[in-house]
Amino acid sequence: MSARAEDIRAAVGSSGESGASPAGIVAGPVLRTCLPIMAVILVLALAGRWYQQWAAWEHGLDATTPAFETYWMTLFYVESVVIWSASLITWAWLWLTRDRNLDRLQPNEEFRRYMVWVGIIAAYVFALYFAASYFAEEDASWHQTVLRDTSFTPSHIILFYGSFPLYILLGGSMLIYAMTRLPVYAHRMSVTVLVAVVGPFLIMPNVAYNEWGHAFWSSEEIFALPLHWGFVVFGWAALAFGGLLVQVMNRLVVLLPKV
């Protein structure tokens, strides 16, 4: 095998036969990064939906009952501790293991890191789907059916305190990975990356405003209610992923001839 091919295989970390195809060079690191994370997200989403189907109607209609405390508040405490602890540990690990010699990074390794980063972005978008689409629409349907008696409802505990922190974990990881392992983003931060991460993150504080408004005004669960405008505005931050794709492609065009 030529030295050039050896460099390519070292860059993608492949353990298969020689003569890796260009598609394999690109897809390998992406899939090895995103598929395990997506699998975990899918399992958690299915488990959460099953748990709602099993316990929401039976134990989730009255927040003053001991059963609600047992079946729903316990879940809230567990997911809050686990997800936020995982976030802090992951972010700290990414920062503490950062590359302090990015000025000497070889093109092969930078290309591999971009593919890993794309995998993290794909997993982040996958988590955003369940938070901003499936479970968000389910939450609205629940509150159009059941009168809310607390900010902690079966739909909120899965959506606000489970799905949202989960995608924040991945969004923060995406940002820190770029800052600590990719020279382009280590020297200056991209507004596109910041919007793609901070925009969806700001949905979380908007939750507090939304719940305060519903409690103070006893507002009906109408999609066009001003209390919900923040969700829409911050949701529009997803448009930044288009610009992010352009940034990634522009850099890969530079790197590919050197790989």
Side-chain angles (χ1 to χ4, degrees):
M1 184 185 300
S2 67
R4 182 180 179 81
E6 287 284 3
D7 290 340
I8 293 174
R9 293 183 60 76
V12 300
S14 174
S15 59
E17 297 297 328
S18 61
S21 67
I25 294 171
V26 173
V30 175
L31 296 179
R32 283 195 296 271
T33 301
C34 72
L35 288 184
I37 302 174
M38 287 180 174
V40 171
I41 294 170
L42 182 60
V43 168
L44 291 175
L46 292 175
R49 183 63 190 91
W50 171 85
Y51 192 83
Q52 287 177 321
Q53 189 71 27
W54 175 67
W57 293 106
E58 186 73 20
H59 308 293
L61 300 181
D62 187 350
T64 64
T65 62
F68 189 93
E69 181 73 25
T70 299
Y71 288 95
W72 289 106
M73 294 309 295
T74 300
L75 175 62
F76 164 73
Y77 299 138
V78 169
E79 66 185 5
S80 296
V81 170
V82 170
I83 297 175
W84 288 113
S85 296
S87 298
L88 294 175
I89 291 171
T90 302
W91 298 339
W93 177 81
L94 286 170
W95 180 257
L96 294 174
T97 59
R98 64 189 183 277
D99 188 344
R100 292 174 171 81
N101 300 297
L102 286 174
D103 56 327
R104 296 198 293 271
L105 187 66
Q106 296 299 310
N108 289 336
E109 175 60 16
E110 184 179 353
F111 181 86
R112 186 194 68 82
R113 292 183 185 184
Y114 262 98
M115 293 301 98
V116 171
W117 194 49
V118 168
I120 297 174
I121 295 172
Y124 176 41
V125 172
F126 191 66
L128 276 172
Y129 163 77
F130 283 103
S133 179
Y134 182 82
F135 285 118
E137 296 299 327
E138 179 203 61
D139 178 70
S141 299
W142 174 268
H143 290 301
Q144 288 175 335
T145 306
V146 180
L147 179 66
R148 73 172 71 205
D149 59 348
T150 174
S151 296
F152 301 101
T153 65
S155 59
H156 283 174
I157 288 172
I158 297 295
L159 174 66
F160 291 161
Y161 313 112
S163 292
F164 283 8
L166 186 59
Y167 80 64
I168 289 172
L169 185 164
L170 293 168
S173 299
M174 163 192 159
L175 177 63
I176 298 172
Y177 187 94
M179 293 172 58
T180 58
R181 285 158 173 81
L182 300 176
V184 171
Y185 299 106
H187 299 309
R188 62 185 185 279
M189 182 45 60
S190 164
V191 173
T192 300
V193 175
L194 284 176
V195 171
V197 174
V198 176
F201 168 79
L202 288 176
I203 291 178
M204 196 66 179
N206 192 73
V207 166
Y209 166 70
N210 177 74
E211 291 309 301
W212 171 80
H214 277 293
F216 187 77
W217 290 304
S218 298
S219 303
E220 189 177 351
E221 195 72 29
I222 300 173
F223 293 162
L225 195 71
L227 287 172
H228 299 152
W229 291 357
F231 293 121
V232 177
V233 172
F234 296 133
W236 283 342
L239 295 173
F241 286 102
L244 180 56
L245 176 63
V246 173
Q247 288 186 354
V248 172
M249 295 302 295
N250 285 342
R251 185 57 184 164
L252 293 184
V253 166
V254 175
L255 290 174
L256 276 173
K258 303 177 182 178
V259 173

